[in-house]
Amino acid sequence: MSINLKKGQKIDLRKSNPGLSTIRVGLGWDPVEQGGGFLKALFGSGKADIDCDASVFLLDENSNPIDLIYFGNLRTRNDSIIHTGDNLTGEGEGDDEVILVDLDKIPTNVNKLLFVVNIYDCVRRNQNFGMIKNAYIRMLDAKNNSEIARYNLSDDYRGKTALVVGLIYRYDKTWKFSAIGEGTNDTGLNDMKKNLERKAYGV
């Protein structure tokens, strides 16, 4: 049975799933309806054309970035983490972007996987996460596609241009997930990386 998490909650991913190895991490969101009139005429469907990108920072125990998996670098060298591709609109049902994580293959120097979502070209397009609804992250056992846990990001993210969604991290001999759901004013992955060095996302 899937666990619905709230902001700040943590779970042991293997407690109810002994032997769990490969996780399908699905991230989703929908553009907010913009109403009628000029905006509907401009965007056609009444929904803003927002390109959200899901990425994962690989961090050491001190939260220093080791690698980054995103639409421009879809997999690690040993295929322990694979991004399945970029969704340009967020339209439609189900997960918008999926990242596969093989926990048993993750190098020993990687202690944390920080999942983030940012809006591509947000400054020029004057877009923020107040224009996005139904954002979530969920984790499934890739072997049988059963959902382990889901976290719906329900905060008000108006004015925010990036989201720190959640963290998968080593804990003793298992892996845990922490629901973060923090909005930031970072305008891209380079900004997010710099801020990681100033703010360690702990466990």
Side-chain angles (χ1 to χ4, degrees):
M1 180 180 294
S2 178
I3 300 173
N4 288 315
L5 298 171
K6 295 181 179 180
K7 186 173 182 175
Q9 283 189 309
K10 302 176 178 65
I11 62 164
D12 184 336
L13 293 172
R14 284 177 168 164
K15 185 174 182 178
S16 300
N17 302 273
L20 178 68
S21 176
T22 304
I23 299 175
R24 174 188 170 101
V25 180
L27 298 105
W29 51 80
D30 294 309
V32 172
E33 290 283 354
Q34 298 294 328
F38 172 75
L39 285 175
K40 188 168 184 178
L42 181 64
F43 295 119
S45 67
K47 296 179 181 179
D49 181 15
I50 302 178
D51 180 9
C52 293
D53 295 319
S55 309
V56 54
F57 284 96
L58 284 65
L59 310 175
D60 65 17
E61 60 182 352
N62 297 314
S63 294
N64 298 309
I66 295 174
D67 200 355
L68 171 64
I69 301 303
Y70 69 112
F71 67 87
N73 179 39
L74 292 175
R75 60 181 65 209
T76 57
R77 290 183 179 181
N78 69 343
D79 287 344
S80 60
I81 300 175
I82 300 174
H83 193 310
T84 61
D86 189 17
N87 180 316
L88 299 178
T89 65
E91 294 280 6
E93 298 292 329
D95 301 331
D96 290 300
E97 295 191 8
V98 172
I99 298 172
L100 301 174
V101 178
D102 189 332
L103 298 174
D104 293 336
K105 286 186 177 180
I106 295 176
T108 56
N109 64 326
V110 176
N111 285 73
K112 304 173 185 178
L113 307 176
L114 187 68
F115 292 84
V116 302
V117 179
N118 68 291
I119 299 175
Y120 177 75
D121 205 15
C122 63
V123 175
R124 186 182 66 84
R125 295 183 178 188
N126 193 28
Q127 295 175 339
N128 64 78
F129 275 97
M131 304 166 74
I132 292 293
K133 64 180 181 178
N134 303 330
Y136 69 85
I137 182 172
R138 66 183 188 133
M139 283 143 289
L140 303 90
D141 186 337
K143 289 183 178 179
N144 55 26
N145 224 33
S146 61
E147 187 173 281
I148 301 168
R150 172 186 288 260
Y151 169 42
N152 296 316
L153 284 76
S154 56
D155 284 2
D156 184 353
Y157 296 110
R158 282 178 292 185
K160 304 299 182 181
T161 51
L163 298 178
V164 179
V165 180
L167 183 74
I168 292 177
Y169 62 97
R170 294 183 192 270
Y171 185 83
D172 289 338
K173 295 182 180 180
T174 189
W175 289 89
K176 289 192 171 187
F177 174 78
S178 175
I180 298 176
E182 178 181 313
T184 79
N185 294 317
D186 297 316
T187 59
L189 292 173
N190 285 334
D191 285 348
M192 299 195 86
K193 182 179 179 180
K194 291 176 183 177
N195 286 331
L196 284 176
E197 296 170 358
R198 294 198 297 269
K199 180 175 182 179
Y201 286 94
V203 296

